[in-house]
Amino acid sequence: MLLSDIELHQATTLEQASELMARYAPGGRLLAGGTDLLVDLKTGRVHSNHVVSIQRIAALRGISVANGEMRIGALTTASQLAFSAVVQEQFPAILDATRDMAAPQIRNMATVGGNIASAVPSGDLPPILIVMNASVILWSPSGAREVPLDSFFVGPRETVRREEEILTEIRVPFPPRGFGAAYQRFALREANACAVAAVAASLWCNEDRSIRDARICVGAAAPTPKLVPAINTLLAGKLPDEKAIQRAAGATVEACRPISDIRGSAEYRRELIGVLTRRALQSARQRALGGKQ
Ligand SMILES: Cc1cc2nc3c(=O)[nH]c(=O)nc-3n(C[C@H](O)[C@H](O)[C@H](O)COP(=O)(O)OP(=O)(O)OC[C@H]3O[C@@H](n4cnc5c(N)ncnc54)[C@H](O)[C@@H]3O)c2cc1C
């Protein structure tokens, strides 16, 4: 599709964006950084004659702290996230994911809201945000609702977001004492390559170092990022030693049913998931027991 065939509408408020989307329904598309959408429009994966840009809605920008949470405006770019003082000091696991994402030019345009709303199975931010208990705010003229990120994705490029809703904010609770998380991924080259497989892990440990809560989320291996259901039962009460980590990696591989595609076979992905789970848990353990998340 030629981009010149598309009419661009610039909204400056959420209300205006929503009016424009209603006017051009069902074919209108929201545009944030455009790093996914413009590729999809050019390659014909998505067809639309009306694109509604939300880039000028100032209320969707920036990172703030309130009620024990970090609140990330949907238009915050991956670079802004990585350079934010609060992320650097309190959320090193989010830095793991922004460091691996695309390349600097893309990170300067790619928004956090777009990374989540696009629901591409290999997206780097969803797995780590899921293990950190993040949620998203979905706004429409009839009100706003908060949806836990682990129930936001329903399929590849499919979410529970309704047509008229705009993702406005991502909320991430500040990690409690004894909590550590980490993200590990493997791609076929260093930059501008989607993950072949990715694993985010979190460990919340008691004073005696035993595990109080554990979560593992696998990315790029299923239609949606997936929490491994049995992990907490397997690890709770145990010390996060190498034996426990090895068992958790085995259980994660068992729980995954990856597909074969041009980036790797199912067998290769299973192998990767085992290695990435071990590395993510080791790094999460170091952060949990080192006193800092
Ligand atoms: C060369 C290249 C390399 C890449 N590498 C990676 C990578 O390594 N890891 C990775 O995770 N991604 C990667 N991407 C994908 C992309 O950069 C990210 O997913 C990015 O975060 C998308 O954000 P955006 O603001 O550009 O979204 P857009 O392209 O503007 O939008 C994407 C989709 O989300 C919808 N949308 C956007 N914002 C909102 C909102 N606030 N509310 C509701 N719907 C919304 C749009 O309508 C559209 O359907 C890469 C892309 C390119 C081109």
Side-chain angles (χ1 to χ4, degrees):
M1 181 169 198
L2 289 176
L3 291 183
S4 55
D5 295 337
I6 299 167
E7 205 174 324
L8 174 70
H9 308 270
Q10 298 274 9
T12 51
T13 61
L14 285 170
E15 289 76 10
Q16 211 181 15
S18 129
E19 265 170 43
L20 286 162
M21 285 297 284
R23 191 182 310 162
Y24 298 111
R29 286 284 174 156
L30 288 172
L31 175 80
T35 61
D36 262 331
L37 185 62
L38 295 183
V39 176
D40 285 348
L41 287 167
K42 280 185 182 171
T43 55
R45 187 202 290 271
V46 168
H47 291 275
S48 174
N49 291 320
H50 294 277
V51 165
V52 176
S53 169
I54 54 173
Q55 283 170 349
R56 293 188 184 166
I57 306 180
L60 297 182
R61 293 198 180 275
I63 296 175
S64 60
V65 169
N67 289 341
E69 296 168 329
M70 172 170 67
R71 297 183 171 181
I72 307 165
L75 285 184
T76 304
T77 65
S79 295
Q80 287 165 342
L81 190 64
F83 286 114
S84 130
V86 64
V87 172
Q88 293 190 355
E89 283 160 23
Q90 303 282 337
F91 296 93
I94 292 180
L95 291 180
D96 294 345
T98 52
R99 179 198 58 216
D100 288 340
M101 208 177 143
Q105 294 88 338
I106 298 288
R107 292 198 291 271
N108 288 341
M109 295 297 296
T111 66
V112 179
N115 196 252
I116 295 170
S118 59
V120 174
S122 60
D124 280 309
L125 290 172
I128 194 63
L129 291 172
I130 286 173
V131 300
M132 301 196 72
N133 280 317
S135 56
V136 291
I137 305 297
L138 300 174
W139 177 94
S140 75
S142 49
R145 61 183 178 128
E146 183 165 359
V147 177
L149 198 55
D150 67 1
S151 47
F152 180 70
F153 302 99
V154 294
R157 298 171 187 269
E158 262 181 69
T159 71
V160 299
R161 183 177 72 82
R162 295 193 279 265
E163 185 84 10
E164 71 278 13
E165 289 178 319
I166 299 175
L167 194 164
T168 54
E169 193 172 77
I170 299 92
R171 296 186 175 174
V172 195
F174 273 89
R177 197 178 151 76
F179 181 93
Y183 178 71
Q184 292 277 329
R185 78 165 199 166
F186 180 82
L188 295 176
R189 57 174 191 225
E190 286 264 321
N192 277 340
C194 294
V196 181
V199 176
S202 70
L203 290 174
W204 184 14
C205 296
N206 296 306
E207 282 295 314
D208 65 0
R209 296 163 65 98
S210 64
I211 298 168
R212 182 168 174 172
D213 186 70
R215 297 182 127 208
I216 289 176
C217 182
V218 178
T224 64
K226 272 240 171 334
L227 275 174
V228 181
I231 286 301
N232 197 39
T233 319
L234 187 74
L235 292 183
K238 310 255 179 354
L239 287 174
D241 54 19
E242 286 308 310
K243 202 169 129 199
I245 286 179
Q246 191 62 45
R247 286 180 60 203
T252 303
V253 174
E254 270 301 300
C256 288
R257 300 279 173 275
I259 55 156
S260 295
D261 65 14
I262 49 164
R263 275 178 272 145
S265 66
E267 197 44 47
Y268 182 50
R269 280 198 164 90
R270 262 194 291 275
E271 193 69 30
L272 282 173
I273 289 164
V275 173
L276 296 171
T277 304
R278 274 200 305 280
R279 289 182 187 165
L281 280 169
Q282 284 162 345
S283 174
R285 173 181 62 189
Q286 194 186 355
R287 287 169 175 165
L289 300 179
K292 264 184 123 185
Q293 190 281 104

